[in-house]
Amino acid sequence: MKKRIGSYPRVRIEGGGRAVVSQAGGVLLIETVRKSGLDQAISAALALWRKARAVHGPGKILLDVALAVALGGDCLADVGMLRAEPGVFGPVASDPTVSRLIDALASAGSKTLTAVRSARADVREHVWKPAGRSAPDAARQVIVDLDGVLVLAHSEKQDVTATWKKTFGHHPLMAFVDHGPQGSGEPVAGLLRPGKRGQQHRRRPHHHSQLALAQLPKKYRRGRQTLIRTDSGGGTHEFLAWLAQRGRWLSYSVGMTITDAIHEAVLKAPPAAWTAAVEPSGEIRDGAWVAELTGDVLKGWPKGMRLMIRKERPHPGAQLRFTDADGLRLTAFTTNTTGVPIAALELRHRQRARAEDRIRAARATGLRNLPLRETAQNRIWLEIVQLALDLLAWMPMLALTGETRRWEPRRLRLRLFSAAAQIVTTARRRRLRFARHWPWTDVITDALARLEALPNPG
């Protein structure tokens, strides 16, 4: 009987293996690119930057970097993982070629950003149609969540400043389309800002919302069927007036700061004005109530605005604030939605917390840090991150079902994208053979079958 040494079997290591593909599950993203037409749209948008007799097109290079980021990369050099597998990802540009393209796109400024964003908007409208019930607009309403992301910097970079959390870095403003409780979400706008907001951003408070609306299909760029949700950072007279402007007529659910006037109105609210808050399942939320305030507290605000107050017992260990009352935590939000119970409106606003999940996914997909030095270069990087997040949202929306649709990028990489396969050429066709013993091989093959069944773009 042989004596075992250690807990794991010992294997001999040799180099020179052939016909074995690592990150073979990345073919799911490639098929998503193909069926969405993203490769054609990006190539057409960046055709002006293609040099004569160039081997690699700028659109293919940019998408290769986005694919590397979607697979877990966090810098331009990580495109090397695609270059190592030409049988799956095709010819991939060298690191110097990638760097030169990023510099060229950055030097073009807003012209490049406009081209890439326009291509993404066109493809988004095409992707939502075959998604059916999984599409973000399946309920005939699109919800856009706005929120900021702190990106720390550990070296000197342009526009890096101290942040409001006493750290050092940038503070990009992001917008995500909510896919609901059964899905994830996709980015529709990313605006790079210094860690501490400058005066140039205060003069353009609606620029970010305009970028987000421009990414939606045309029928959702105005009208009540589009809901804008923000935290209390959006609770200003100017922003709310812009949302409700005549001809725009957007729906909104915006957090508000508890002022002295609002606090006094809460204290005067009779017990009969309070309604029990509810959970997503419809059950009553224990220890939480919601009420609507009217009267003088709404003077000076846009017509049709409704002010909601929520009070709840603080969680264990939470500290009460000066704006709280009677040992209960107070929060406020405003909306212009009518004909819906106030408990349902409060639940809808509370579900804005799903934006934190989108931010966590963005941090795990290239937004943990901004790897380049110049602001113009990092603006291109932010567009690359959004391309990667688009693919990570579109692939589950089109190809996955059930619980797998809710998998975040880290789980997708661990279970699907990292799967290895054998590449075989038969009858002049290249095939990938995934290992039968891999627990999620059926998920991969079923997803590929759904993607192949979709109509081709154009």
mmCIF file of all heavy atoms in Angstrom, residues 176-194:
data_model
loop_
_atom_site.group_PDB
_atom_site.id
_atom_site.type_symbol
_atom_site.label_atom_id
_atom_site.label_comp_id
_atom_site.label_asym_id
_atom_site.label_seq_id
_atom_site.Cartn_x
_atom_site.Cartn_y
_atom_site.Cartn_z
ATOM 1 N N PHE A 176 -26.941 53.283 -15.160
ATOM 2 C CA PHE A 176 -27.205 51.885 -15.495
ATOM 3 C C PHE A 176 -28.693 51.697 -15.760
ATOM 4 O O PHE A 176 -29.543 52.254 -15.044
ATOM 5 C CB PHE A 176 -26.793 50.956 -14.352
ATOM 6 C CG PHE A 176 -25.333 51.011 -14.003
ATOM 7 C CD1 PHE A 176 -24.881 51.879 -13.018
ATOM 8 C CD2 PHE A 176 -24.419 50.202 -14.655
ATOM 9 C CE1 PHE A 176 -23.544 51.930 -12.685
ATOM 10 C CE2 PHE A 176 -23.071 50.253 -14.333
ATOM 11 C CZ PHE A 176 -22.634 51.117 -13.349
ATOM 12 N N VAL A 177 -29.016 50.896 -16.769
ATOM 13 C CA VAL A 177 -30.390 50.470 -17.004
ATOM 14 C C VAL A 177 -30.651 49.240 -16.153
ATOM 15 O O VAL A 177 -29.903 48.252 -16.212
ATOM 16 C CB VAL A 177 -30.626 50.154 -18.490
ATOM 17 C CG1 VAL A 177 -31.966 49.454 -18.688
ATOM 18 C CG2 VAL A 177 -30.600 51.434 -19.315
ATOM 19 N N ASP A 178 -31.697 49.293 -15.351
ATOM 20 C CA ASP A 178 -32.030 48.202 -14.443
ATOM 21 C C ASP A 178 -32.739 47.088 -15.204
ATOM 22 O O ASP A 178 -33.719 47.332 -15.908
ATOM 23 C CB ASP A 178 -32.912 48.729 -13.311
ATOM 24 C CG ASP A 178 -33.191 47.672 -12.262
ATOM 25 O OD1 ASP A 178 -32.394 46.725 -12.157
ATOM 26 O OD2 ASP A 178 -34.205 47.792 -11.550
ATOM 27 N N HIS A 179 -32.235 45.849 -15.060
ATOM 28 C CA HIS A 179 -32.863 44.694 -15.697
ATOM 29 C C HIS A 179 -33.867 44.009 -14.788
ATOM 30 O O HIS A 179 -34.389 42.946 -15.136
ATOM 31 C CB HIS A 179 -31.792 43.685 -16.126
ATOM 32 C CG HIS A 179 -31.062 44.084 -17.361
ATOM 33 N ND1 HIS A 179 -30.372 43.200 -18.154
ATOM 34 C CD2 HIS A 179 -30.899 45.299 -17.949
ATOM 35 C CE1 HIS A 179 -29.817 43.839 -19.165
ATOM 36 N NE2 HIS A 179 -30.126 45.117 -19.054
ATOM 37 N N GLY A 180 -34.116 44.582 -13.611
ATOM 38 C CA GLY A 180 -35.094 44.003 -12.715
ATOM 39 C C GLY A 180 -34.499 42.941 -11.808
ATOM 40 O O GLY A 180 -33.305 42.625 -11.883
ATOM 41 N N PRO A 181 -35.318 42.346 -10.954
ATOM 42 C CA PRO A 181 -34.807 41.367 -9.984
ATOM 43 C C PRO A 181 -34.312 40.075 -10.610
ATOM 44 O O PRO A 181 -33.544 39.343 -9.994
ATOM 45 C CB PRO A 181 -36.017 41.108 -9.080
ATOM 46 C CG PRO A 181 -37.202 41.436 -9.932
ATOM 47 C CD PRO A 181 -36.768 42.565 -10.816
ATOM 48 N N GLN A 182 -34.725 39.781 -11.847
ATOM 49 C CA GLN A 182 -34.319 38.543 -12.492
ATOM 50 C C GLN A 182 -33.102 38.704 -13.387
ATOM 51 O O GLN A 182 -32.689 37.740 -14.049
ATOM 52 C CB GLN A 182 -35.489 37.981 -13.326
ATOM 53 C CG GLN A 182 -36.748 37.749 -12.542
ATOM 54 C CD GLN A 182 -36.547 36.822 -11.361
ATOM 55 O OE1 GLN A 182 -35.822 35.834 -11.454
ATOM 56 N NE2 GLN A 182 -37.178 37.129 -10.238
ATOM 57 N N GLY A 183 -32.520 39.895 -13.430
ATOM 58 C CA GLY A 183 -31.373 40.112 -14.294
ATOM 59 C C GLY A 183 -30.342 40.989 -13.633
ATOM 60 O O GLY A 183 -30.329 41.177 -12.420
ATOM 61 N N SER A 184 -29.464 41.547 -14.435
ATOM 62 C CA SER A 184 -28.402 42.411 -13.915
ATOM 63 C C SER A 184 -28.686 43.847 -14.337
ATOM 64 O O SER A 184 -29.694 44.415 -13.942
ATOM 65 C CB SER A 184 -27.042 41.921 -14.416
ATOM 66 O OG SER A 184 -27.015 41.875 -15.836
ATOM 67 N N GLY A 185 -27.828 44.433 -15.133
ATOM 68 C CA GLY A 185 -28.005 45.801 -15.600
ATOM 69 C C GLY A 185 -26.894 46.144 -16.556
ATOM 70 O O GLY A 185 -25.839 45.506 -16.564
ATOM 71 N N GLU A 186 -27.125 47.154 -17.377
ATOM 72 C CA GLU A 186 -26.119 47.532 -18.370
ATOM 73 C C GLU A 186 -25.840 49.024 -18.274
ATOM 74 O O GLU A 186 -26.741 49.824 -17.990
ATOM 75 C CB GLU A 186 -26.579 47.163 -19.780
ATOM 76 C CG GLU A 186 -27.918 47.758 -20.170
ATOM 77 C CD GLU A 186 -28.445 47.168 -21.465
ATOM 78 O OE1 GLU A 186 -27.981 47.621 -22.536
ATOM 79 O OE2 GLU A 186 -29.310 46.270 -21.412
ATOM 80 N N PRO A 187 -24.601 49.436 -18.505
ATOM 81 C CA PRO A 187 -24.262 50.858 -18.409
ATOM 82 C C PRO A 187 -24.741 51.615 -19.636
ATOM 83 O O PRO A 187 -24.675 51.114 -20.755
ATOM 84 C CB PRO A 187 -22.733 50.840 -18.327
ATOM 85 C CG PRO A 187 -22.348 49.625 -19.111
ATOM 86 C CD PRO A 187 -23.428 48.618 -18.862
ATOM 87 N N VAL A 188 -25.218 52.818 -19.421
ATOM 88 C CA VAL A 188 -25.638 53.664 -20.538
ATOM 89 C C VAL A 188 -24.908 55.001 -20.549
ATOM 90 O O VAL A 188 -25.092 55.778 -21.492
ATOM 91 C CB VAL A 188 -27.165 53.886 -20.530
ATOM 92 C CG1 VAL A 188 -27.896 52.621 -20.956
ATOM 93 C CG2 VAL A 188 -27.651 54.333 -19.168
ATOM 94 N N ALA A 189 -24.127 55.280 -19.545
ATOM 95 C CA ALA A 189 -23.352 56.532 -19.548
ATOM 96 C C ALA A 189 -22.261 56.438 -18.493
ATOM 97 O O ALA A 189 -22.455 55.849 -17.429
ATOM 98 C CB ALA A 189 -24.249 57.743 -19.271
ATOM 99 N N GLY A 190 -21.127 57.020 -18.814
ATOM 100 C CA GLY A 190 -20.023 57.123 -17.872
ATOM 101 C C GLY A 190 -19.308 58.442 -18.093
ATOM 102 O O GLY A 190 -18.836 58.716 -19.202
ATOM 103 N N LEU A 191 -19.274 59.276 -17.081
ATOM 104 C CA LEU A 191 -18.674 60.609 -17.188
ATOM 105 C C LEU A 191 -17.528 60.697 -16.194
ATOM 106 O O LEU A 191 -17.750 60.630 -14.977
ATOM 107 C CB LEU A 191 -19.727 61.682 -16.911
ATOM 108 C CG LEU A 191 -19.333 63.142 -17.149
ATOM 109 C CD1 LEU A 191 -18.987 63.373 -18.610
ATOM 110 C CD2 LEU A 191 -20.452 64.073 -16.724
ATOM 111 N N LEU A 192 -16.310 60.815 -16.699
ATOM 112 C CA LEU A 192 -15.136 60.858 -15.837
ATOM 113 C C LEU A 192 -15.007 62.237 -15.207
ATOM 114 O O LEU A 192 -15.050 63.265 -15.899
ATOM 115 C CB LEU A 192 -13.883 60.536 -16.655
ATOM 116 C CG LEU A 192 -12.587 60.368 -15.863
ATOM 117 C CD1 LEU A 192 -12.714 59.251 -14.847
ATOM 118 C CD2 LEU A 192 -11.417 60.109 -16.806
ATOM 119 N N ARG A 193 -14.844 62.257 -13.880
ATOM 120 C CA ARG A 193 -14.734 63.511 -13.143
ATOM 121 C C ARG A 193 -13.596 63.400 -12.134
ATOM 122 O O ARG A 193 -13.233 62.292 -11.714
ATOM 123 C CB ARG A 193 -16.033 63.817 -12.383
ATOM 124 C CG ARG A 193 -17.281 63.778 -13.224
ATOM 125 C CD ARG A 193 -18.497 64.088 -12.384
ATOM 126 N NE ARG A 193 -18.635 63.142 -11.273
ATOM 127 C CZ ARG A 193 -19.555 63.249 -10.328
ATOM 128 N NH1 ARG A 193 -20.400 64.262 -10.357
ATOM 129 N NH2 ARG A 193 -19.635 62.368 -9.348
ATOM 130 N N PRO A 194 -13.031 64.528 -11.721
ATOM 131 C CA PRO A 194 -12.038 64.488 -10.644
ATOM 132 C C PRO A 194 -12.660 63.990 -9.347
ATOM 133 O O PRO A 194 -13.884 63.934 -9.191
ATOM 134 C CB PRO A 194 -11.589 65.953 -10.516
ATOM 135 C CG PRO A 194 -11.983 66.593 -11.810
ATOM 136 C CD PRO A 194 -13.212 65.877 -12.272
#
